[in-house]
Amino acid sequence: MKFLDLKNHFRDSAILSISDIRKIEPGFDVRRLVEWQKKGYVKKIIRNFYVFSDQETTEPSLFIIANTIYQPSYISFEMALAHYQLIPESVYGITSAATKKTTTLKTPLGNFIYRSLKPELFFGYVPIPFQNQRYLIAEPEKALLDFFYLNPTVLNDDDFAGLRINQDEFSAKINQEKLEKYLAVFDILTLKKRVLKFMEFIRHADI
């Protein structure tokens, strides 16, 4: 396979995997990727995954990459909250929920941070199409609950204020009924108390 053939076939793909390449050329020699990397045509993300060097880095493409290099996972926590403009966009790394162990993958495109959830808590995410692919991201309510679940030290008004919640966006995007429905699935009394206290803080702040 010539590089231009590869580029044309995967021109709309946010990320390349060796397995995807071998679907169109079963006998593909991975040494070609090493050669193309040395020539600056592609960049290695982690083992078995690459991107085109001239590819524009966008939020959707980073989300697709995050979903792909550690599966199953979906965008959540601070990254999802920032995406929904619920908190300021000062997030360190792309944060995701995963069923496998907590880990951070450091790549040329930045850090991809995965925090482990129990399989029964792996819900509340939606597929968002982008070009010929899609990424999975938590709904606003689930991103908020995921954050509180794995940040038990966020528990009083000072902590809540430190999140710098955009109250207008919060009122527009958080569905109270859905939040309570998802909260019931967690079935953790201390989490429920913290979230309800946070909601009371938000209501008071809106006055």
Side-chain angles (χ1 to χ4, degrees), residues 82-190:
H83 170 78
Y84 292 121
Q85 299 179 320
L86 297 177
I87 63 172
E89 294 187 13
S90 56
V91 179
Y92 172 74
I94 308 295
T95 55
S96 300
T99 56
K100 295 193 292 186
K101 68 179 182 179
T102 293
T103 191
T104 297
L105 301 179
K106 297 181 178 181
T107 81
L109 298 182
N111 293 338
F112 293 85
I113 302 161
Y114 301 87
R115 303 189 68 184
S116 181
L117 292 181
K118 297 176 182 179
E120 58 266 30
L121 299 180
F122 199 80
F123 71 95
Y125 54 88
V126 291
I128 305 296
F130 177 71
Q131 295 179 352
N132 66 338
Q133 297 176 292
R134 66 176 190 172
Y135 60 86
L136 303 178
I137 185 169
E139 296 173 276
E141 299 83 1
K142 185 56 163 47
L144 187 69
L145 294 177
D146 285 349
F147 175 82
F148 274 101
Y149 175 65
L150 289 182
N151 290 276
T153 58
V154 179
L155 45 74
N156 58 43
D157 286 359
D158 287 341
D159 299 327
F160 302 153
L163 297 177
R164 298 167 62 197
I165 295 290
N166 184 319
Q167 294 169 14
D168 291 336
E169 294 292 340
F170 190 91
S171 297
K173 294 176 179 175
I174 295 294
N175 181 298
Q176 178 87 24
E177 184 177 343
K178 182 182 290 186
L179 181 73
E180 293 177 358
K181 177 183 175 182
Y182 286 175
L183 183 57
V185 178
F186 281 80
D187 193 25
I188 301 172
L189 182 58
T190 54

Side-chain angles (χ1 to χ4, degrees), residues 14-25:
I15 186 169
L16 300 170
S17 72
I18 292 175
S19 62
D20 285 340
I21 296 173
R22 283 180 170 159
K23 288 176 183 176
I24 61 172
E25 185 171 312

Side-chain angles (χ1 to χ4, degrees), residues 1-13 16 24 52 132:
M1 175 186 290
K2 296 180 180 179
F3 175 73
L4 286 180
D5 295 331
L6 180 81
K7 186 72 178 290
N8 287 332
H9 190 89
F10 292 102
R11 62 182 178 274
D12 293 327
S13 299
L16 300 170
I24 61 172
F52 293 118
N132 66 338

